[in-house]
Amino acid sequence: MDNRTVLISGASIAGPALALLLARSGWTVTVVERAPALRPGGQAVDFKGATHRTVLDRMGVLGDVLRRRTGGQDQTIVDAAGRPRAVIPGEFTGGDIEIRRGDLAEILYAHTDCEYLFGDTVTSLTETTGGVEVTFEHARPRRFDLVVGADGIHSTVRRLAFGPERDHVRYLGYHYALAELGEDLGSGDAQMYNEPGRMAAVGGPKASAFFVFASPEPDHDRTDTGRQRQLLVDAYRGAGWRVPELMARIPQAREFHLDSLSRVTIDRYSRGRVVLLGDAAYGNTLGGFGTGLAVVGAYVLAGELCAAGGEHRVAFARYEELMRDYAKVSQRGSAGPFLAPPTPLRIKLRDWTFKSRFLLGLLLKATDRFATDIELPDYASGS
């Protein structure tokens, strides 16, 4: 087999999933991750339909995932006085299998026999006739046959190999934030509150508090968490319900993450010996498909690389052919206007979707169709 050494940038979900599959097939895999360790806990992610379950089973992790699943939880949409307006069923928010992101990352990590470089990142990529010369912020320079960018929507690998982020990422007009604000927020019941262009939710497995809000295009430093916390507080100034209580806790939140809702638009997933996977390639519009896309993409990329005997040009072309259409769900709209509708009328119409069994049924069928819209090869059998 040619091209037996691969560097994967990113240790969230897509990276460890690919590392598991390639290492199992005899590849020499290194995963580099900017964070000092695996990120524990985190918001819940979900899998939908037979395709996602089949991939988890073929990876050998389905049993562990089922044992650590959180279970979908209904969420009540309330008005400013806390009165119920509608109920979002757990099957919609949690899919068929729901699990905390950190728990899933731990499972993938435990099943993988490869090298991890935590607390480091790629600083340059130089492709040669026989591989890619890679420099790191801390580790010594090394050469790899292939490099995979599985490092999220703000991918360093994509920037180094494909060009600036502004050329490939389009802002969709919304931000989201996840914050752990303490276990004393309430009874644990999941509740969601809306004002035009703003959503606040508490309870449930996503995080103790979850926010989505419309805002101008970001100009803040993503590494400045103090500025990000202030951006959130400013965006919710004057809001009702329990929002003032939540905002008062933001400065001291022990875990906090804020990012934009954006879409990746890129002509090709690969360039030479570098290929993109997960949000770095398909984008993330907070629609509940990111984790499933990442795991299916890892399965297809690993399978095609092994089927092609490591011939990256053949494997990358086939990976693109299979995933481009499947990943189109990430290019269709954004969850921002659905979670934080821009007008009172749009809020009422969204709530009515969950009150109507017919409309909710159509919505659930649509998500199932998107999740299974791929002819999944069985690489083990060669078909």
Side-chain angles (χ1 to χ4, degrees), residues 59-144:
M59 291 173 65
V61 301
L62 178 59
D64 287 345
V65 170
L66 291 175
R67 279 188 287 273
R68 299 180 70 173
R69 68 195 300 181
T70 57
Q73 180 178 358
D74 292 349
Q75 185 173 49
T76 303
I77 303 173
V78 299
D79 64 16
R83 295 182 294 254
R85 293 172 54 95
V87 175
I88 306 175
E91 60 183 316
F92 179 80
T93 59
D96 296 332
I97 304 172
E98 186 180 74
I99 183 172
R100 288 190 181 274
R101 176 179 291 275
D103 292 346
L104 178 59
E106 286 180 6
I107 290 169
L108 296 173
Y109 179 80
H111 280 261
T112 304
D113 182 16
C114 74
E115 176 188 24
Y116 274 78
L117 300 176
F118 287 107
D120 210 344
T121 188
V122 176
T123 54
S124 74
L125 301 171
T126 304
E127 185 164 340
T128 66
T129 55
V132 184
E133 302 293 336
V134 181
T135 62
F136 300 91
E137 192 171 272
H138 301 297
R140 61 178 178 79
R142 293 166 65 176
R143 176 193 169 280
F144 297 89

Side-chain angles (χ1 to χ4, degrees), residues 154-376:
H154 304 293
S155 170
T156 296
V157 167
R158 189 187 59 227
R159 174 176 56 81
L160 293 172
F162 293 78
E165 181 172 311
R166 64 177 177 273
D167 294 343
H168 305 296
V169 178
R170 183 166 71 87
Y171 178 56
L172 298 178
Y174 285 79
H175 277 78
Y176 72 96
L178 297 153
E180 292 296 338
L181 302 182
E183 298 178 357
D184 59 335
L185 280 177
S187 63
D189 294 337
Q191 296 183 324
M192 186 174 89
Y193 170 71
N194 279 109
E195 293 178 0
R198 300 191 287 197
M199 183 276 281
V202 297
K206 295 296 182 187
S208 69
F210 176 41
F211 307 92
V212 177
F213 60 98
S215 65
E217 188 162 2
D219 60 357
H220 59 276
D221 181 355
R222 289 189 298 106
T223 65
D224 186 347
T225 57
R227 175 71 186 92
Q228 289 188 329
R229 291 171 193 247
Q230 189 60 49
L231 176 69
L232 178 67
V233 171
D234 290 343
Y236 282 80
R237 204 171 299 281
W241 188 53
R242 302 178 62 186
V243 173
E245 172 195 358
L246 302 178
M247 291 300 109
R249 299 185 183 212
I250 291 296
Q252 289 79 40
R254 55 187 175 88
E255 292 182 27
F256 180 85
H257 175 77
L258 181 143
D259 206 347
S260 63
L261 286 185
S262 299
R263 176 179 295 128
V264 173
T265 54
I266 196 162
D267 293 336
R268 294 182 61 82
Y269 295 156
S270 64
R271 177 166 292 180
R273 292 174 174 269
V274 179
V275 65
L276 302 177
L277 174 67
D279 283 350
Y282 326 134
N284 175 19
T285 56
L286 208 65
F289 292 94
T291 304
L293 282 173
V295 172
V296 173
Y299 173 80
V300 171
L301 179 56
E304 293 300 330
L305 281 168
C306 293
E311 172 44 64
H312 65 281
R313 285 162 293 197
V314 174
F316 290 172
R318 179 65 175 154
Y319 161 67
E320 175 115 24
E321 178 185 347
L322 287 169
M323 286 302 298
R324 178 66 73 171
D325 192 55
Y326 182 58
K328 66 182 179 295
V329 64
S330 66
Q331 305 298 313
R332 292 183 175 182
S334 164
F338 184 80
L339 293 172
T343 66
L345 176 60
R346 292 278 294 273
I347 293 173
K348 289 181 180 179
L349 291 174
R350 191 277 316 278
D351 293 351
W352 183 252
T353 300
F354 294 110
K355 293 178 181 179
S356 166
R357 294 175 63 88
F358 175 73
L359 293 177
L360 178 59
L362 291 178
L363 198 58
L364 289 170
K365 286 181 180 179
T367 59
D368 288 344
R369 185 175 69 253
F370 285 132
T372 58
D373 190 19
I374 186 173
E375 187 175 341
L376 197 67

Side-chain angles (χ1 to χ4, degrees), residues 6-23:
V6 59
L7 173 69
I8 301 171
S9 177
S12 180
I13 302 301
L18 180 64
L20 182 160
L21 292 161
L22 288 180

